[in-house]
């Protein structure tokens, strides 16, 4: 293989990875265009090295080569990078799709590096189309994350408001802690609100703030 064809494969990998990264960045995700671009180009480079980098050793009798061994490490190694995009906050997990996108981008880079242009390009198109379709579907059933800071004495009243609400509310979690400055037990209430109607969200905020023990409420 000529050096120019290798460069062409790197460029194609970078473009395909950049497309997925651009889609992720357009939705304000943790890993964007630059990260996906680098992952795709790096994966393609590793594949090229694995496949063509040891051609001078083929005719050495004491050496046996397995071209897939180096490239295979990309699949497991990219997991460490993907783990860095996953955020767990109060039982809410974010970044899984972006982590999966990085993993898939690495696979696309490997495919292009191996000369499998049609599968690599097809996978890119399929991922982009899938992300857009499911993102629109998600918006139709999207939820907002709510947080309320209050004294421990107001927890039951706040829970009653959420329970009696006509809007679907789930993933309710209460965390208590002792505030040394206030010398009292305080609580953080986390929950999900399944609605797009701003007036309904505002009503929940107002109802919670009516409780004397509630200090602040945020739903976004």
């Amino acid at each position: 293989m000529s050096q120019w064809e290798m460069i062409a494969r790197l460029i194609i990998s970078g473009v395909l990875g950049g497309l997925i990264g651009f889609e992720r960045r357009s939705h304000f995700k943790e890993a964007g265009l630059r990260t996906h671009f680098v992952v795709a180009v790096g994966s393609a480079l590793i594949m090229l090295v694995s496949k063509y980098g040891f051609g001078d050793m083929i005719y050495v009798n004491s050496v046996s080569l397995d071209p897939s061994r180096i490239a295979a490490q990309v699949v497991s190694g990219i997991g460490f990078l993907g783990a860095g995009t996953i955020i767990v906050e109060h039982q809410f997990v974010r970044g899984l799709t972006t982590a999966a996108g990085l993993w898939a981008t690495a696979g696309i880079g490997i495919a292009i590096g191996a000369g499998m242009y049609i599968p690599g390009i097809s996978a890119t198109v399929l991922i982009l189309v899938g992300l857009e379709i499911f993102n629109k579907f998600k918006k139709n059933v999207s939820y907002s994350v709510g947080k309320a800071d209050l004294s421990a004495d107001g927890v039951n009243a706040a829970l009653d408001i959420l329970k009696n609400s006509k809007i679907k509310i789930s993933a309710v979690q209460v965390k208590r802690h002792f505030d040394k400055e206030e010398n009292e037990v305080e609580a953080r209430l986390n929950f999900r609100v399944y609605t797009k109607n701003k007036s309904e969200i505002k009503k929940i905020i107002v109802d919670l703030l009516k409780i004397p023990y509630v200090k602040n409420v945020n739903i976004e």
Side-chain angles (χ1 to χ4, degrees), residues 156-169:
N156 290 334
L159 291 176
D160 287 339
I161 289 177
L162 296 180
K163 181 180 178 180
N164 297 326
S165 175
K166 296 180 180 180
I167 306 168
K168 180 183 177 181
I169 297 177

Side-chain angles (χ1 to χ4, degrees), residues 80-194:
F80 291 98
L81 182 60
T85 67
I86 300 175
I87 301 173
V88 181
E89 182 181 5
H90 305 299
Q91 291 186 341
F92 301 126
V93 181
R94 301 176 181 176
L96 285 175
T97 303
T98 301
L102 287 172
W103 180 77
T105 300
I108 292 170
I110 292 174
I112 299 300
M116 302 173 66
Y117 300 108
I118 300 301
I121 295 174
S122 299
T124 303
V125 173
L126 185 61
I127 290 172
L128 289 173
V129 171
L131 286 173
E132 286 301 317
I133 291 176
F134 289 117
N135 186 61
K136 290 181 179 180
F137 175 77
K138 180 182 177 182
K139 287 181 179 179
N140 294 330
V141 292
S142 62
Y143 60 84
S144 300
V145 177
K147 298 178 182 179
D149 292 317
L150 64 163
S151 299
D153 295 334
V155 170
N156 290 334
L159 291 176
D160 287 339
I161 289 177
L162 296 180
K163 181 180 178 180
N164 297 326
S165 175
K166 296 180 180 180
I167 306 168
K168 180 183 177 181
I169 297 177
S170 68
V172 179
Q173 179 188 27
V174 179
K175 284 193 173 183
R176 293 178 172 84
H177 65 278
F178 183 75
D179 190 334
K180 294 182 179 179
E181 295 182 358
E182 299 291 336
N183 194 30
E184 65 178 357
V185 178
E186 295 191 343
R188 164 66 66 87
L189 185 64
N190 300 294
F191 53 93
R192 292 179 181 178
V193 180
Y194 290 83

Side-chain angles (χ1 to χ4, degrees), residues 5-18 20 35-52 71-72 74-75 78 100-117 119-124 127:
E5 186 174 352
M6 292 184 181
I7 294 174
R9 292 186 181 184
L10 293 175
I11 294 174
I12 294 173
S13 297
V15 171
L16 296 178
I20 297 176
T35 304
H36 285 78
F37 175 84
V38 172
V39 167
V41 173
S43 299
L45 177 62
I46 293 172
M47 185 66 216
L48 288 171
V49 172
S50 181
K51 191 172 182 180
Y52 304 107
V74 175
V75 179
I78 199 67
L102 287 172
W103 180 77
T105 300
I108 292 170
I110 292 174
I112 299 300
M116 302 173 66
Y117 300 108
I121 295 174
S122 299
T124 303
I127 290 172

Side-chain angles (χ1 to χ4, degrees), residues 29-69:
K29 301 303 179 180
E30 290 75 14
L33 192 151
R34 292 183 299 176
T35 304
H36 285 78
F37 175 84
V38 172
V39 167
V41 173
S43 299
L45 177 62
I46 293 172
M47 185 66 216
L48 288 171
V49 172
S50 181
K51 191 172 182 180
Y52 304 107
F54 304 97
D56 56 332
M57 302 295 293
I58 293 177
Y59 302 103
V60 178
N61 294 329
S62 61
V63 176
S64 60
L65 297 177
D66 180 2
S68 66
R69 291 186 65 183

